[in-house]
């Protein structure tokens, strides 16, 4: 267990999210493991992401940490898919992602119980 502040736990969570998003982009780029180098990169990135994610769970509740990780990842991957891979998302899709992100923000601000918030 790392002896870190809650603020530093969120920084580490942010780094874990960046690794996860990078891994997702590498998975798309490797085209079903067709490109071995990109495939290995994706596996290393996702492994690093999970390792870092596991290190913050003693400071951030799993429900909040995972919601943050997945919502930010979802939004970022949607943007990357559109910009880098020419993918499209409907207006309803974008609205859904925005609502998911807003809900996660609310969860981070006011969703934890008193015990977790005091630590």
């Amino acid at each position: 267990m790392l002896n870190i502040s809650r603020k530093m736990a969120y920084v580490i969570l942010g780094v874990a999210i960046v690794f996860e998003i990078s891994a997702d982009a590498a998975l798309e780029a490797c085209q079903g493991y067709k490109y071995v180098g990109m495939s290995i990169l994706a596996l290393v990135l996702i492994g690093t992401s999970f390792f870092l994610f596991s290190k913050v769970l003693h400071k951030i509740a799993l429900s909040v940490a995972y919601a943050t990780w997945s919502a930010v990842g979802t939004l970022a991957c949607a943007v990357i898919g559109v910009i880098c891979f020419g993918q499209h998302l409907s207006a309803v899709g974008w609205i859904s992602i925005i609502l998911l992100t807003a809900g996660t923000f609310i969860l981070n601000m006011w969703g934890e119980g008193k015990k977790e918030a005091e630590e």
Side-chain angles (χ1 to χ4, degrees):
M1 183 175 347
L2 293 174
N3 186 16
I4 57 173
S5 68
R6 187 167 171 83
K7 186 175 183 179
M8 183 54 70
Y10 270 99
V11 170
I12 294 170
L13 178 60
V15 173
I17 292 168
V18 169
F19 275 94
E20 187 261 337
I21 294 164
S22 301
D24 294 341
L27 281 173
E28 178 67 23
C30 77
Q31 298 178 4
Y33 300 106
K34 180 179 176 183
Y35 300 105
V36 176
M38 193 62 73
S39 302
I40 292 169
L41 176 64
L43 293 171
V44 169
L45 289 169
I46 200 68
T48 304
S49 176
F50 274 99
F51 174 78
L52 292 171
F53 181 75
S54 73
K55 295 301 178 185
V56 302
L57 294 178
H58 69 284
K59 288 289 184 179
I60 305 171
L62 174 63
S63 57
V64 173
Y66 190 77
T68 304
W69 191 49
S70 61
V72 173
T74 300
L75 177 60
C77 285
V79 171
I80 289 169
V82 169
I83 293 172
C84 297
F85 299 108
Q87 299 170 350
H88 301 282
L89 199 57
S90 69
V92 172
W94 284 113
I95 290 167
S96 300
I97 291 172
I98 290 166
L99 288 172
L100 174 69
T101 305
T104 303
F105 174 77
I106 292 167
L107 177 65
N108 272 282
M109 296 305 293
W110 300 287
E112 285 193 64
K114 290 184 183 222
K115 182 180 178 189
E116 291 89 5
E118 292 171 359
E119 293 179 358

